[in-house]
Amino acid sequence: MDKFSYIGNADVAYVEELYQQYKNDPESVDSTWQYFFKGFDFSVEQYGEPGESTNGQNGAAATTKGKASKADIEKEISVRELISAYRSRAHLLSKTNPVRPRRDRRARLELKDFGLTDADLNTTFEAGRTIFDRPATLKEIIDALKHIYERTIGFEYAYIREPEVLEWFKQKIESESLNFNPSSDYKKRILSKLNEAVAFENFLHTKYIGQKRFSIEGGESTIPALDAVINRSAELGVKEVVIGMAHRGRLNVLVNIMGKTYEDVFNEFEGEMPEEAMGDGDVKYHLGFATEIDTPEGHKVNLQLAPNPSHLEAVDPLVEGYVRAKCDRMYDGNVDRILPILIHGDAAIAGQGLVYEITQMSKLEGYHTGGTIHFVINNQVGFTTNFEDARSSIYCTDVAKMTDSPVLHVNGDDPEAVVFCCRLAAEFREKFNRDIFIDLVCYRKHGHNESDEPKFTQPALYKLISKHPNPRELYLSRLKESGDLNASIAKEMEQEFKQMLQDRLNMVKQKAVAYKLQPVEKEWEELRWSTPTDFDRVYDTKITADMVDKIGKALTFLPKGFKPIRQIEKLLEKRKDMFFDSKILDWASAELLAYGSILAEGKIVRFSGQDVKRGTFSHRHAVLHDANTSEPFYSLDYIQEGQEKMRIYNSLLSEYGVLGFEFGYAMANPHALTIWEAQFGDFANGAQIIIDQFITAVESKWQKMNGLVMLLPHGYEGQGPEHSSARLERFLQMSAEYNIIVANLTTPANLFHILRRQLAWEFRKPLVIMSPKSLLRDKKVVSSVSEFTDGQFHEVIGDDYVEAKKVKKVLLCTGKIYYDLLKKQQDDKRKDVAIIRVEQLHPFPTKSIHLKLGKYVNAKTYWVQEEPVNMGAWSYIQRVYRYDQIEVIARKSSASPATGYHTVHSQEQATIIEAAFK
């Protein structure tokens, strides 16, 4: 193999080209080449131009007086490439696995791979400057590289494409890792955190034999690791840390990082229901917690551990959204004041697509949180699946390369190395506000849970693990051997450790950590849980005529020099007519009026989703663009002084990650109207886990309130199965105990009032709206301005066209099909058929419907829907409305939501309408 092929076929012509580039601008080439060319220039000055080879001589660039040979220069290049190769590939050799040898990943870092031999070891090379700031022998260079890159940390960073980031990281590694030696007090702190981790697991293992606890045994270094991240981050100005993690080690983190007491954990294991519990709750290793701690350096840090279900990575976007909301509301946008930490398992981070989504979100304007520290508890096995069956990539963290995020692979049996990585991660995040990954390579002492037998599937691995001492034992021995812990102190700490074990088993009462609510948390405390009677009340959601005018002016204003495209000019003319002449507003105007009114009240409106600025159906145009420069103009930012700015973001092509982010945002701020819109309602099924695990069960399962709004375009218009149904039936099936609001609206005014009601309530509920598509431009779908200044939200809308005593048939319906039924009614002048619109489906407005139906004493009632009879609202109507015998008119039962043939669609739709009026 050619000695340069491994590093990209570097040849003399290429080096010459680099040299000329260096002569023109030294900073334009990599720093290691800068050192080489400086040495080359020095050689030329001292000894003249390159000549014949004179091997075997020591000295700068291996030259002799008078000439610097071509062979010597090639060797200098080889040494430079050896150094570069170590920086990019030595992580494949590092001793990161605590229980078994690493696989041969063909790092190719032998001397022969670079055309070097043992005969060159005592030769001095200019390339040594890149490590030592002086020329160095090849032996010195290799010894240093091995010491830096082949020990218990594998540094993976050479793919970073920004020179300043790459250089900073390299300097940190090659200077600080060489010299990292914690103080004696710090070493004792590391040992004490390991003691705490082991003591807790011992307590649970002894007290609750065989119960699931998802222990951290084998990965106890997680506890000093998190301690190091939090403490260093606090030194750098972080005021709040938000953690998201799955089960593994969660209870240990709650106790030894968050400060939850053993007594509280004991009660949860006993299955005792806490006082003032709301709903059904969840298992102990899913619950969240909040606390405030004092670091050893005297900094106060607020810690939040987010609740998380068994869908391992589902919490990730929630944490990011929660952090973004806190950053917006409490820290004036300063991302250096709040830090997200996501703790992953190795199988989950590699296997769950959500990790890709949140990583891809990390640098986007609408979702940036200043960088996340990703911490992987790498057990080397997922449940029973070996890592070679769990991923194709070498590392579980290879998703990091997508955003040029560095990865620190570290041996879990070396807690000092772990602490170094964590401190470095905190500094990197503060410096560059981007993601960084720590891959803690450890093992899982037991099976997936404590009653599981891991030897069924990994007998050889668990034979090694059974004989392997835990990280605490190894570290204690290391401290004793090195003299960092003298015999008396070691004995004292050992006695303290044993006493801790006994105290915990004896349930010696611990003092709970006092917690002071943050201002935004106090706002949540000021709200209350809803009661059934709340949904019979009318809430004041109207605004003044003056506010309508202000918002109308903002929506029709353009700054000086702004050139809109022709269609937008027409749109603005239409808006002016609606607000100031006809006083009749369409759907888009009513929607923007709702947002503007909330912004003018000083509250946040955050809105994201695919193409939401314009709107999938070109109706919204919340942001206008200059025809010549494409510069955006946010009309709603210019209503009045002191208002909030409109936070509206086109999202990446993600549902799962983005909906989770918005749920997290709404979880943090009770006074923000937080909205996610699906491009088509059907696409919400890509985020079904967030809907199932968080949105519909937020009160019952997590004892939290949340006011997130989901806009899901829904309606049968012949666009096929993926662009018709938002799966209304699924939301209604999950509707119970007043958990969510499900609406299918038909008027702009009702949209306006239901959006404003989200913040007018004394509680918070998720709101799911089946948004229209064709109705966005239907001339019948309008509301007068008076309905915004004097009106209210109507759960049910009756029929003013018919005469009650003549009515023989009542058609109950919801959403778009109302206008198809209305057309037939009006065209045929059918005053014997009444149409009643159910605008809010859950909580079901039984009283209102019963009052409306009560007028039609001689009529038979039908439920009419566009969806197949096994979909839509029909099964829900049967379940919740039992006052009258109701029959259904719908499409036939179907496995697919809709036909893909427009002709068939039209026939089916006509059949439904005909049947309704037959």
Side-chain angles (χ1 to χ4, degrees):
M1 183 180 79
D2 182 272
K3 62 188 174 187
F4 298 120
S5 65
Y6 163 70
I7 48 84
N9 295 318
D11 54 27
V12 175
Y14 171 66
V15 175
E16 176 63 26
E17 182 183 333
L18 273 181
Y19 181 61
Q20 292 305 320
Q21 186 177 329
Y22 166 80
K23 296 293 280 185
N24 293 329
D25 179 11
E27 295 299 319
S28 67
V29 302
D30 182 84
S31 61
T32 56
W33 280 111
Q34 291 178 35
Y35 285 123
F36 169 67
F37 291 135
K38 283 178 185 176
F40 174 75
D41 287 346
F42 175 78
S43 297
V44 170
E45 288 173 12
Q46 293 292 105
Y47 308 113
E49 292 294 329
E52 296 300 315
S53 173
T54 52
N55 292 327
Q57 301 296 317
N58 293 337
T63 62
T64 56
K65 188 77 174 175
K67 296 290 182 183
S69 72
K70 178 180 177 183
D72 293 335
I73 291 174
E74 286 181 347
K75 284 201 173 183
E76 187 75 48
I77 294 171
S78 293
V79 174
R80 183 263 181 199
E81 296 304 341
L82 169 66
I83 295 170
S84 179
Y86 254 89
R87 289 167 175 161
S88 63
R89 294 178 64 81
H91 57 83
L92 299 171
L93 292 176
S94 54
K95 300 171 184 65
T96 54
N97 198 319
V99 290
R100 54 185 171 182
R102 294 194 61 186
R103 288 186 172 187
D104 180 9
R105 300 291 186 181
R106 303 178 70 190
R108 298 281 179 86
L109 294 176
E110 298 296 326
L111 290 178
K112 63 182 181 181
D113 295 316
F114 301 90
L116 299 166
T117 68
D118 289 346
D120 300 307
L121 289 174
N122 293 320
T123 302
T124 302
F125 291 94
E126 282 293 322
R129 291 181 183 277
T130 188
I131 300 172
F132 301 104
D133 290 326
R134 61 172 173 80
T137 66
L138 180 58
K139 185 178 185 306
E140 286 181 293
I141 292 169
I142 290 175
D143 287 346
L145 290 172
K146 285 181 178 292
H147 188 66
I148 296 167
Y149 289 106
E150 286 192 27
R151 289 190 299 162
T152 53
I153 305 175
F155 297 103
E156 199 178 6
Y157 68 99
Y159 46 76
I160 297 174
R161 284 165 285 196
E162 290 136 292
E164 67 279 7
V165 180
L166 182 65
E167 185 63 22
W168 183 92
F169 204 80
K170 177 170 68 68
Q171 290 297 329
K172 279 283 183 179
I173 291 167
E174 295 184 359
S175 60
E176 296 190 13
S177 71
L178 274 173
N179 304 313
F180 184 69
N181 184 26
S183 67
S184 178
D185 286 343
Y186 204 145
K187 288 176 181 178
K188 282 197 278 186
R189 181 171 182 85
I190 293 172
L191 181 58
S192 71
K193 299 310 286 185
L194 288 171
N195 283 346
E196 290 172 4
V198 172
F200 179 75
E201 298 299 344
N202 184 283
F203 163 77
L204 291 185
H205 191 68
T206 307
K207 199 86 176 174
Y208 301 103
I209 298 169
Q211 280 206 42
K212 288 183 182 181
R213 69 179 192 271
F214 298 100
S215 81
I216 205 172
E217 290 175 88
E220 289 93 340
S221 291
T222 299
I223 301 305
L226 290 177
D227 182 64
V229 168
I230 292 165
N231 293 343
R232 184 66 182 122
S233 297
E235 291 173 17
L236 297 170
V238 166
K239 303 296 183 186
E240 181 171 356
V241 176
V242 185
I243 302 172
M245 67 181 298
H247 326 322
R248 180 75 51 214
R250 187 183 188 88
L251 296 177
N252 210 310
V253 169
L254 279 166
V255 169
N256 292 316
I257 297 297
M258 309 292 294
K260 191 170 185 176
T261 65
Y262 276 67
E263 185 179 21
D264 287 341
V265 174
F266 174 83
N267 289 337
E268 288 164 4
F269 268 93
E270 294 295 315
E272 293 184 18
M273 187 173 180
E275 295 180 13
E276 301 179 9
M278 171 73 188
D280 303 311
D282 203 344
V283 293
K284 50 196 165 289
Y285 41 80
H286 286 174
L287 302 177
F289 197 70
T291 189
E292 187 177 65
I293 65 167
D294 292 303
T295 71
E297 294 76 26
H299 303 286
K300 284 194 179 295
V301 184
N302 185 283
L303 301 182
Q304 305 275 345
L305 180 67
N308 190 36
S310 292
H311 291 73
L312 299 176
E313 301 293 335
V315 74
D316 298 353
L318 268 70
V319 167
E320 302 295 346
Y322 189 89
V323 167
R324 177 63 177 260
K326 284 281 194 77
C327 192
D328 285 350
R329 181 69 187 281
M330 290 179 55
Y331 302 111
D332 297 320
N334 187 345
V335 293
D336 289 332
R337 294 292 172 266
I338 182 167
L339 166 68
I341 299 176
L342 296 180
I343 304 176
H344 312 270
D346 52 316
I349 193 173
Q352 297 290 297
L354 182 59
V355 178
Y356 171 87
E357 293 185 31
I358 61 147
T359 305
Q360 194 67 273
M361 292 161 70
S362 65
K363 293 184 178 182
L364 302 180
E365 178 194 4
Y367 309 95
H368 180 60
T369 55
T372 299
I373 295 179
H374 297 265
F375 188 90
V376 183
I377 302 176
N378 188 341
N379 300 148
Q380 308 182 60
V381 61
F383 197 175
T384 68
T385 303
N386 288 316
F387 72 85
E388 58 263 59
D389 295 322
R391 62 179 185 265
S392 297
S393 59
I394 291 178
Y395 294 118
C396 63
T397 53
D398 279 350
V399 69
K401 296 172 184 174
M402 179 175 63
T403 51
D404 283 1
S405 302
V407 183
L408 305 169
H409 307 279
V410 59
N411 190 316
D413 277 357
D414 187 349
E416 287 186 18
V418 173
V419 164
F420 171 79
C421 290
C422 291
R423 291 175 63 84
L424 175 58
E427 293 165 13
F428 177 84
R429 191 266 180 181
E430 191 273 338
K431 176 74 174 176
F432 296 107
N433 291 131
R434 58 198 293 174
D435 289 9
I436 183 169
F437 291 68
I438 301 169
D439 177 20
L440 180 78
V441 185
C442 52
Y443 54 93
R444 192 183 66 194
K445 181 74 172 176
H446 307 288
H448 177 65
N449 58 63
E450 285 61 41
S451 61
D452 189 46
E453 176 51 79
K455 290 179 182 176
F456 288 150
T457 50
Q458 282 87 19
L461 174 61
Y462 275 87
K463 187 175 181 180
L464 294 172
I465 289 173
S466 66
K467 301 174 183 176
H468 194 78
N470 69 38
R472 175 198 166 272
E473 294 168 349
L474 291 170
Y475 189 54
L476 182 61
S477 297
R478 177 178 156 188
L479 293 178
K480 289 177 180 177
E481 289 170 9
S482 65
D484 288 310
L485 207 62
N486 65 46
S488 61
I489 295 177
K491 186 176 180 180
E492 182 184 324
M493 290 195 75
E494 190 72 7
Q495 288 173 343
E496 288 175 1
F497 171 64
K498 289 178 179 176
Q499 188 60 51
M500 183 194 297
L501 293 177
Q502 194 58 51
D503 286 348
R504 297 300 179 254
L505 286 173
N506 294 341
M507 290 303 295
V508 173
K509 198 170 184 69
Q510 291 171 278
K511 184 180 178 182
V513 179
Y515 182 63
K516 181 181 177 183
L517 290 174
Q518 296 176 312
V520 72
E521 291 172 320
K522 289 180 181 177
E523 292 174 3
W524 279 112
E525 291 289 310
E526 291 165 2
L527 298 174
R528 61 173 176 82
W529 299 108
S530 66
T531 64
T533 57
D534 288 321
F535 301 98
D536 294 328
R537 289 173 53 193
V538 173
Y539 289 83
D540 183 7
T541 51
K542 59 184 179 292
I543 60 175
T544 65
D546 180 56
M547 181 55 66
V548 174
D549 285 347
K550 282 185 177 181
I551 297 169
K553 287 175 182 175
L555 289 171
T556 54
F557 167 75
L558 287 178
K560 186 177 181 181
F562 186 93
K563 175 64 177 173
I565 64 171
R566 187 177 177 186
Q567 293 95 317
I568 294 300
E569 288 179 341
K570 291 182 178 179
L571 170 75
L572 296 178
E573 289 173 8
K574 183 181 177 184
R575 280 183 183 175
K576 283 180 182 177
D577 174 71
M578 287 189 290
F579 276 99
F580 303 111
D581 295 323
S582 68
K583 303 284 187 178
I584 300 291
L585 304 187
D586 63 6
W587 196 276
S589 299
E591 182 187 358
L592 295 173
L593 184 64
Y595 304 149
S597 65
I598 293 169
L599 293 171
E601 292 167 0
K603 296 173 183 174
I604 286 175
V605 177
R606 178 184 164 90
F607 191 163
S608 86
Q610 292 153 25
D611 309 295
V612 296
K613 291 181 179 180
R614 189 201 77 178
T616 298
F617 312 103
S618 293
H619 82 288
R620 182 173 294 121
H621 294 288
V623 181
L624 309 180
H625 292 272
D626 188 282
N628 298 322
T629 66
S630 294
E631 283 297 307
F633 177 69
Y634 293 73
S635 303
L636 289 174
D637 288 354
Y638 301 93
I639 301 167
Q640 64 183 28
E641 291 291 328
Q643 68 162 93
E644 279 284 351
K645 302 297 184 184
M646 182 68 178
R647 292 168 166 87
I648 186 166
Y649 306 100
N650 287 342
S651 75
L652 68 164
L653 200 65
S654 156
E655 289 84 33
Y656 191 0
V658 174
L659 181 58
F661 189 100
E662 302 311 333
F663 180 84
Y665 196 98
M667 190 167 69
N669 189 346
H671 298 304
L673 181 67
T674 309
I675 306 168
W676 176 71
E677 181 177 63
Q679 193 165 54
F680 284 85
D682 319 58
F683 300 165
N685 59 16
Q688 198 65 47
I689 291 171
I690 298 297
I691 295 165
D692 292 350
Q693 298 296 329
F694 290 107
I695 294 174
T696 58
V698 63
E699 289 185 24
S700 180
K701 189 175 182 179
W702 304 117
Q703 288 89 58
K704 301 281 187 183
M705 283 186 278
N706 195 293
L708 176 71
V709 178
M710 296 173 63
L711 300 180
L712 308 179
H714 174 91
Y716 282 60
E717 283 127 349
Q719 296 186 42
E722 269 69 62
H723 299 89
S724 298
S725 173
R727 297 293 192 172
L728 173 61
E729 64 278 358
R730 291 181 182 170
F731 293 97
L732 294 176
Q733 186 182 39
M734 292 185 283
S735 296
E737 303 176 307
Y738 305 93
N739 62 330
I740 58 174
I741 313 300
V742 181
N744 197 3
L745 310 176
T746 60
T747 75
N750 245 8
L751 173 69
F752 170 88
H753 288 293
I754 201 171
L755 289 173
R756 286 186 52 79
R757 190 179 69 171
Q758 283 298 99
L759 300 184
W761 269 333
E762 297 160 342
F763 48 86
R764 295 292 176 263
K765 295 283 179 184
L767 168 62
V768 181
I769 299 178
M770 302 290 114
S771 295
K773 295 179 288 184
S774 61
L775 300 189
L776 297 173
R777 289 177 182 76
D778 193 315
K779 293 181 180 179
K780 296 188 292 295
V781 186
V782 292
S783 299
S784 67
V785 167
S786 63
E787 293 179 71
F788 302 93
T789 57
D790 298 313
Q792 66 182 55
F793 177 69
H794 297 282
E795 297 172 332
V796 182
I797 303 176
D799 193 336
D800 296 331
Y801 176 72
V802 299
E803 296 178 33
K805 60 184 179 181
K806 294 182 180 180
V807 171
K808 299 292 190 288
K809 181 184 277 191
V810 177
L811 306 178
L812 282 176
C813 67
T814 186
K816 168 193 160 282
I817 199 170
Y818 164 73
Y819 289 99
D820 295 331
L821 296 171
L822 177 66
K823 185 177 187 304
K824 177 71 173 175
Q825 182 198 49
Q826 302 291 305
D827 288 349
D828 295 354
K829 297 182 172 53
R830 293 291 298 273
K831 296 207 172 189
D832 61 329
V833 180
I835 308 171
I836 297 175
R837 288 170 271 176
V838 182
E839 300 279 290
Q840 178 178 293
L841 289 156
H842 185 264
F844 193 69
T846 301
K847 293 178 183 176
S848 296
I849 291 175
H850 212 53
L851 286 172
K852 293 283 191 295
L853 289 176
K855 296 192 296 184
Y856 309 117
V857 292
N858 301 315
K860 186 170 177 59
T861 305
Y862 293 83
W863 177 260
V864 186
Q865 67 180 36
E866 296 181 299
E867 301 88 353
V869 71
N870 60 317
M871 301 179 193
W874 170 235
S875 59
Y876 170 78
I877 297 298
Q878 287 180 298
R879 173 161 59 92
V880 298
Y881 193 70
R882 299 179 176 275
Y883 288 84
D884 293 280
Q885 289 295 316
I886 301 178
E887 295 182 18
V888 65
I889 300 171
R891 282 174 166 80
K892 66 178 179 62
S893 293
S894 173
S896 176
T899 178
Y901 302 104
H902 195 275
T903 302
V904 175
H905 160 79
S906 299
Q907 291 172 346
E908 290 175 346
Q909 199 77 0
T911 300
I912 290 171
I913 304 305
E914 287 299 323
F917 286 89
K918 187 175 179 181

